[in-house]
Structures are given as structure tokens and as C-alpha cells.
């Protein structure tokens, strides 16, 4: 696949997720694929600690399918 800003959006979303959870997120990857179910579960668990706006932003940034991911640039 060719590079788009959506790659950076995903990377920044993962950085935010790591900072918000203060946990190792390696378990979300199976080989070179993201486990979408575990990712969505983790984001759902964060609802009790963070605002709905933040959770929605993280969810949009971390959409596994680039065609569904927000972008800028």
C-alpha cells in the first residue's frame, strides 16, 4: 500500500492509547495484523476514565481499515 496521512493518524492514535492506558500494547498484534476485537475492547474499557469525545477520537484514529480512519493533511 502507498503511504497516506492515515498511517500517521493510526500511529498517533496508538501513541495516545499507550499514554492513556500506561500499558504494553504488544498483545494487540498477532503477527503483523492488529487484533481489532481486542483493540475495540480496550477502547471500550477506557470509557469509565475518559470523556466520550476522547474515546470517539481514539476510535476514529484507530479504525483498523484505513478507508474508515480519519485523516488530516
Amino acid at each position: 500500500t502507498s503511504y497516506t496521512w492515515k498511517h500517521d493518524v493510526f500511529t498517533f492514535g496508538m501513541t495516545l492509547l499507550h499514554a492513556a492506558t500506561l500499558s504494553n500494547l504488544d498483545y494487540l498484534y498477532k503477527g503483523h495484523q492488529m487484533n481489532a476485537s481486542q483493540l475495540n475492547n480496550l477502547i471500550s474499557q477506557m470509557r469509565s476514565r475518559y470523556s466520550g469525545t476522547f474515546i470517539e477520537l481514539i476510535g476514529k484514529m484507530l479504525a483498523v481499515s484505513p478507508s474508515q480512519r480519519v485523516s488530516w493533511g
Side-chain angles (χ1 to χ4, degrees):
T1 61
S2 61
Y3 171 84
T4 68
W5 285 104
K6 292 184 179 202
H7 293 94
D8 289 339
V9 169
F10 188 86
T11 300
F12 186 52
M14 287 300 291
T15 301
L16 289 175
L17 184 63
H18 176 71
T21 61
L22 296 176
S23 61
N24 183 339
L25 303 177
D26 289 347
Y27 73 95
L28 295 175
Y29 293 94
K30 191 176 224 176
H32 293 290
Q33 296 292 318
M34 174 65 65
N35 185 320
S37 176
Q38 287 185 333
L39 176 63
N40 292 331
N41 187 37
L42 179 59
I43 292 170
S44 290
Q45 290 174 10
M46 293 172 48
R47 291 185 187 282
S48 64
R49 293 185 296 186
Y50 296 101
S51 73
T53 303
F54 181 70
I55 298 301
E56 183 178 343
L57 175 65
I58 292 286
K60 288 179 178 180
M61 293 175 79
L62 295 178
V64 175
S65 172
S67 64
Q68 296 177 345
R69 193 176 307 142
V70 296
S71 184
W72 65 73

